[in-house]
Each structure stands twice: as structure tokens, then as C-alpha cells.
Amino acid sequence: MADALHRSERWYRDLESGTITRTLTRHELDTIGTLLRLDRVQRRALFLVSNGGGLSSPEAQEPPRISDELRLLLDQQPFPAYVIDATWNVLAVNTSMAALFPWSTAPGANLMRWLLLSAEARDQHLNWEADAEVCVRMLRDAAVDRPHDPDLQQLISDTSQNPAVRDLWTRGAADFADHYDGHLLQMTLPLFDGQVTELVTHVLQPAGLPGCRMTILTQRAPQEPADRQAVQTM
């Protein structure tokens, strides 16, 4: 690695240990990313760490406001849909979402806190640990993007100190995720009498609300047994 960067081994050891804090050049970042075989999200995290985070700062951001046009789009969705801000606070939900997930209508509702810290989420998510691990990866990614966001730091502190979630934070320290678009959720929900329901997440980013996301949950049709599918294709 030192040879590829045209540096000494001591310089690279100092870089890994954090002694060297200067911003790396784009060439240096690309070289490190290539030799370590980092994926797109890991390369983004490396760039953000080297540059001290993203471009935005909490002080410069105005509180997000749901426009009438976005509210119209949300309400006309036949599927459960919601809007969250950059720290996963729920800003708005439609009728279907409120019926399926009553917690989302409570004052101060936060998607990450509900999924990672509530007993209800563990009961409803059949693959809770896998779903929670995606959430931790997104929190880890947000931390390098907005290292000085006090609300985000508090959210990370609360979730990482929880005994049920602490192990997810300590493993896979280099794993990041910047979205959960297309993620499959297997759940048992009271509205469906506890039957297994498969929901697919579709994440949109409203141009008028930087940092916010609108998520639509579509229900995947139940899969037929393998032997029945084989008979139909014969």
C-alpha cells in the first residue's frame, strides 16, 4: 500500500493509526479503495472520513416541512407510505401506514428507535437481527456523513449502548449502507392476524427535502410451494 501511494511504510502506518489527519487526495483515496477492494458505499465512507464529513451542517439546515404536493403524493398511495428526516424521525404517514404500524403516528416516532429498541419490533420482524443489522449499517454511514449532528450522535449512543443491539455495533465495523431500498421484510402483523407478510421497501428522495426519504411498502404475493410450481411448469 505504501509503495502504491509513493509513501513510506511509516507514513502509511501513521495514516492507519490516525496520526496523519490531513485530507487525502482523490488519487490517494482511489488507490486505497482499489487495493482494499472497497465497494461503492465503503469508498464513500472513506471519502467522507478523510474530508471530515459531508457538505451539510445541522446549523445550516432548516426544519423539514411536508409540502402540500408531497402530502398529496403520500395520501394517494394505495400502499403504506411514510416520510422520515435525516435522523429517521417520522414526519408524515398515510392512512395505510397508520393502520399497519400504529407506533408511527405517536409523537416523536422514530423508525430506528422503534426497530432497534422496541420489543414490538422484535416480535413483528421474523428476521429482526438481519433487519436491525441493515439499520446499524445505515447509522454507521450517517455517522461519517454528519459527524457533528447532535441528534444523530444521541441516536447512535442510545442504540449502541442497548444490550440487545450492542453486538451488532461491534461486529462488521467496516460495513456501511446508505439506503434500504429493495429490502425484504418478513413480518407478522396484528392487522393480518399474525400471518407471515412479506413487504418490500421502495425508497424515494424528495428533491425539495434534502436528506429526507419517502418509503413505500409493497406486499409481495405469497410464494407457491415448490412442488406445485413444478407441476404447473410441466
Side-chain angles (χ1 to χ4, degrees), residues 15-36:
L15 177 67
E16 286 195 333
S17 66
T19 304
I20 295 176
T21 58
R22 74 164 178 81
T23 300
L24 299 179
T25 67
R26 182 58 182 266
H27 174 72
E28 290 170 334
L29 292 171
D30 287 341
T31 299
I32 293 173
T34 298
L35 291 181
L36 295 182

Side-chain angles (χ1 to χ4, degrees), residues 14-228:
D14 289 342
L15 177 67
E16 286 195 333
S17 66
T19 304
I20 295 176
T21 58
R22 74 164 178 81
T23 300
L24 299 179
T25 67
R26 182 58 182 266
H27 174 72
E28 290 170 334
L29 292 171
D30 287 341
T31 299
I32 293 173
T34 298
L35 291 181
L36 295 182
R37 299 180 181 180
L38 303 184
D39 61 25
R40 177 188 65 82
V41 181
Q42 290 171 327
R43 283 174 180 260
R44 174 178 175 272
L46 177 64
F47 177 85
L48 291 172
V49 168
S50 176
N51 287 273
L55 296 177
S56 60
S57 63
E59 296 80 7
Q61 295 178 355
E62 296 182 359
R65 186 186 71 82
I66 304 297
S67 66
D68 294 339
E69 293 76 17
L70 184 57
R71 183 77 247 185
L72 179 65
L73 176 63
L74 188 68
D75 290 340
Q76 292 196 0
Q77 294 303 312
F79 307 105
Y82 59 92
V83 179
I84 54 176
D85 66 12
T87 320
W88 290 273
N89 295 308
V90 179
L91 302 178
V93 302
N94 65 2
T95 303
S96 298
M97 180 69 184
L100 201 61
F101 297 101
W103 66 266
S104 64
T105 64
N110 182 282
L111 177 63
M112 284 293 184
R113 291 185 183 279
W114 178 80
L115 198 149
L116 292 176
L117 302 179
S118 75
E120 181 183 51
R122 294 187 190 91
D123 291 339
Q124 294 183 2
H125 284 256
L126 296 183
N127 299 315
W128 177 83
E129 185 168 320
D131 297 338
E133 188 170 359
V134 175
C135 291
V136 169
R137 290 176 181 176
M138 288 192 292
L139 284 170
R140 193 179 286 129
D141 182 82
V144 298
D145 185 19
R146 308 194 310 280
H148 307 298
D149 185 332
D151 293 336
L152 176 62
Q153 296 306 317
Q154 186 63 54
L155 178 61
I156 290 174
S157 176
D158 292 344
T159 56
S160 60
Q161 293 178 15
N162 185 278
V165 190
R166 187 180 300 127
D167 183 57
L168 297 178
W169 277 100
T170 56
R171 69 186 188 214
D175 292 336
F176 299 85
D178 56 354
H179 66 81
Y180 49 92
D181 184 45
H183 188 66
L184 176 65
L185 304 171
Q186 291 185 316
M187 309 191 71
T188 55
L189 302 169
L191 189 65
F192 298 139
D193 297 325
Q195 295 181 355
V196 176
T197 303
E198 293 189 334
L199 301 173
V200 180
T201 62
H202 307 274
V203 182
L204 312 176
Q205 294 182 325
L209 284 178
C212 296
R213 285 141 289 175
M214 175 177 176
T215 301
I216 302 172
L217 303 174
T218 57
Q219 185 175 353
R220 197 165 77 166
Q223 298 294 312
E224 295 181 342
D227 55 349
R228 181 176 175 183

